[in-house]
């Protein structure tokens, strides 16, 4: 609707390949609203003394450990293994470290984590390595499986997170991404933000319910 000039407001949307591309732009005021990893939202909030705030949670747990083989049935089985991963300094690293340490595995000494700069690099490493193990978010898990039909999901990190939370008496779930905005922008434009959030909700519902139409749009917008 925005591209057809039919949206309630005029939105200028850009996609960044790495979260740190967004950080400077939202602090400088070049961006008003951004979808970022949950941990980055916390960093932005603290670094700006509350001048960046969370508007919505947009992504829950989408992280999985996949392998070309059948050696990983539990977190303990990761001990001594090499894991390809991306998202260092972001939610994936913290989730992986939490899962490992809470299961008695030292991420520094008990496993070898090979950090890649992008998820697509992990997919390439998976394809090029025999008996490889990787931690990937969707949709990269599906992408990797289309390249290698022997690839199986060994662990659902959200499931592991919830097990650990439950053992500690918490019903917390794994949050991967949130929508943030500059506090000044929100306070000066409450109606704009309200309209944005209602359209955002409609878009999420559309993506979940009209899968084919959403897939076509996702392809068009790369």
């Amino acid at each position: 609707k925005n591209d057809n000039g039919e949206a309630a407001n005029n939105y200028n949307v850009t996609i960044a390949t790495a979260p740190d591309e967004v950080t400077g732009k939202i602090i400088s005021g070049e961006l008003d609203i951004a979808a970022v990893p949950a941990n980055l939202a916390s960093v932005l909030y603290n670094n700006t003394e509350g001048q960046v705030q969370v508007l919505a949670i947009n992504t829950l747990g989408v992280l999985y450990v996949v392998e070309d083989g059948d050696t990983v049935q539990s977190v303990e089985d990761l001990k001594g293994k090499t894991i390809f991963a991306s998202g260092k300094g972001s939610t994936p690293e913290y989730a992986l470290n939490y899962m490992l340490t809470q299961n008695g595995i030292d991420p520094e000494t008990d496993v070898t984590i090979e950090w890649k700069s992008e998820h697509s690099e992990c997919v390439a490493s998976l394809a090029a390595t025999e008996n490889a193990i990787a931690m990937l978010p969707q949709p990269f898990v599906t992408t990797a499986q289309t390249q290698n039909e022997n690839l199986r999901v060994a662990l659902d990190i959200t499931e592991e997170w919830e097990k650990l939370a439950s053992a500690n008496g918490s019903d917390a779930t794994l949050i991967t991404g949130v929508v943030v905005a500059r506090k000044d922008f929100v306070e000066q434009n409450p109606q704009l933000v309200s309209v944005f959030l209602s359209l955002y909700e409609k878009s999420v519902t559309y993506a979940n319910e009209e899968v084919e139409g959403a897939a076509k749009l996702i392809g068009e917008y790369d």
Side-chain angles (χ1 to χ4, degrees), residues 98 102 162-171:
Y98 178 72
Q102 294 294 307
E162 288 175 354
K163 267 190 236 167
L164 293 167
S166 180
N168 291 316
S170 164
D171 61 357

Side-chain angles (χ1 to χ4, degrees), residues 1-74:
K1 282 184 174 176
N2 189 58
D3 280 2
N4 296 336
E6 296 165 12
N9 300 304
N10 182 32
Y11 298 101
N12 178 19
V13 182
T14 57
I15 297 176
T17 55
D20 54 8
E21 288 179 41
V22 177
T23 311
K25 289 181 179 177
I26 199 150
I27 290 171
S28 70
E30 192 179 325
L31 291 174
D32 299 312
I33 298 171
V36 298
N39 68 290
L40 180 57
S42 168
V43 171
L44 285 166
Y45 175 83
N46 285 296
N47 286 356
T48 62
E49 297 180 346
Q51 291 307 302
V52 173
Q53 68 183 73
V54 169
L55 294 181
I57 294 167
N58 65 5
T59 314
L60 294 174
V62 290
L63 290 167
Y64 300 87
V65 171
V66 297
E67 72 162 330
D68 180 356
D70 202 29
T71 63
V72 179
Q73 309 301 330
S74 68

Side-chain angles (χ1 to χ4, degrees), residues 101-155:
T101 53
Q102 294 294 307
N103 282 281
I105 298 171
D106 186 333
E108 298 291 322
T109 57
D110 294 337
V111 292
T112 303
I113 303 169
E114 287 199 20
W115 291 104
K116 305 294 180 185
S117 58
E118 288 186 26
H119 301 310
S120 53
E121 277 187 53
C122 279
V123 175
S125 296
L126 262 178
T129 312
E130 208 175 328
N131 302 323
I133 298 170
M135 181 180 71
L136 288 170
Q138 286 289 17
F140 294 91
V141 172
T142 307
T143 304
Q145 285 177 320
T146 58
Q147 295 176 13
N148 179 358
E149 59 186 29
N150 296 321
L151 208 63
R152 59 177 278 272
V153 172
L155 299 169

Side-chain angles (χ1 to χ4, degrees), residues 83-112:
I83 305 164
F84 296 118
S86 55
K88 188 167 175 59
S90 190
T91 311
E93 181 183 11
Y94 304 131
L96 180 60
N97 284 352
Y98 178 72
M99 183 184 77
L100 292 171
T101 53
Q102 294 294 307
N103 282 281
I105 298 171
D106 186 333
E108 298 291 322
T109 57
D110 294 337
V111 292
T112 303

